[in-house]
Amino acid sequence: MSWIREGELNLLEKISANVLKAGPMPKHVAFIMDGNRRFARRNNMERQEGHMQGFNKLAETLRWCKHLNIQEVTVYAFSIENFKRTKDEVDGLMELAKQKFERLLEERDNLEKHGVCIRVLGDLNMLPLDLQKMIAKAVVTTRAHNKCFLNVCFAYTSRYEITNAVREMAWGVEQSLIKASDVSEALLSECLYSNNSPNPDLLIRTSGEVRLSDFLLWQTSHSCLVFQSVLWPEYSFWNLCEAILQYQLNYKSIQ
């Protein structure tokens, strides 16, 4: 499965997209892609197949975002907390990630055509060395692209990210590179993994869970939060339109 599916929207989807685009549109959307395991159980699949279906849905969702002129997408792919799952599941997720980054390198021409820049946010030192190398190649291969951006949060939690940023600032003070009085919200933001991105306008979580699960806590302080009951592998274009409509209805208060 490609990282971005080719293809146009059908007529009804095009009409709906054009109606939505007449209003204020989010430029940056974040997704907590929840429900892969429940989808697998419901359909009598192996967990790994559920995760595979989840990646396929991401590729489809990126196509929808492209047609809706959403320039940046951030996804919660693997939490540091996920390392507590069974060894078989963690190993399977690492292998799946390796396969998908290998696939990304194979379709570099397609990503260049669409101008997709891939960034991976998190503590990559927690990952197997072969996966670290594969991710590094993928990031370097697409780093000059600037039409749209996909941020993949892998081995990530927000509290870990913030703690790491505070540690960096403390080190800077110890080394006399900055003064203690230089420490500020703006400087902390510059020390986060997401320092190259604007904060998300809209955060969507699927599967009916109504919590952030330690995802982008700093960055989403003024974002529109939308919680939807659909499981991630079953996510549809219409679910995305519904979330964007909620963003538009709350746009004035968010601003």
Side-chain angles (χ1 to χ4, degrees), residues 168-183:
E168 284 195 13
M169 291 189 296
W171 179 85
V173 173
E174 288 175 2
Q175 300 297 314
S176 299
L177 298 173
I178 59 173
K179 301 174 184 177
S181 59
D182 292 329
V183 174

Side-chain angles (χ1 to χ4, degrees), residues 158-209:
S158 189
R159 286 178 294 179
Y160 187 94
E161 176 187 32
I162 294 168
T163 301
N164 187 62
V166 171
R167 191 180 296 119
E168 284 195 13
M169 291 189 296
W171 179 85
V173 173
E174 288 175 2
Q175 300 297 314
S176 299
L177 298 173
I178 59 173
K179 301 174 184 177
S181 59
D182 292 329
V183 174
S184 64
E185 289 185 15
L187 181 59
L188 192 149
S189 293
E190 288 296 314
C191 294
L192 297 175
Y193 298 135
S194 61
N195 65 82
N196 289 318
S197 299
N199 290 335
D201 303 298
L202 170 64
L203 182 145
I204 299 167
R205 179 169 188 157
T206 57
S207 87
E209 298 291 341

Side-chain angles (χ1 to χ4, degrees), residues 1 27 33 38-39 60 64 104 115 236 238-239 245:
M1 170 58 69
K27 298 297 184 186
M33 307 179 293
R38 269 174 278 178
F39 175 80
E60 192 171 16
W64 300 331
L104 183 149
S236 73
W238 305 112
N239 294 131
L245 184 58

Side-chain angles (χ1 to χ4, degrees), residues 28 72 74 119 121 149 151 193-199:
H28 182 183
E72 188 152 359
T74 299
R119 302 180 182 131
L121 314 182
F149 301 88
N151 306 311
Y193 298 135
S194 61
N195 65 82
N196 289 318
S197 299
N199 290 335

Side-chain angles (χ1 to χ4, degrees), residues 76 78-82 121-123 126 153-163 193 213-217:
Y76 205 2
F78 190 86
S79 166
I80 291 172
E81 295 296 315
N82 291 156
L121 314 182
D123 189 346
M126 295 183 178
C153 293
F154 209 96
Y156 172 93
T157 65
S158 189
R159 286 178 294 179
Y160 187 94
E161 176 187 32
I162 294 168
T163 301
Y193 298 135
S213 296
D214 211 350
F215 180 55
L216 301 182
L217 302 180

Side-chain angles (χ1 to χ4, degrees), residues 21-33:
K21 286 190 285 188
M25 290 292 290
K27 298 297 184 186
H28 182 183
V29 178
F31 291 94
I32 301 177
M33 307 179 293

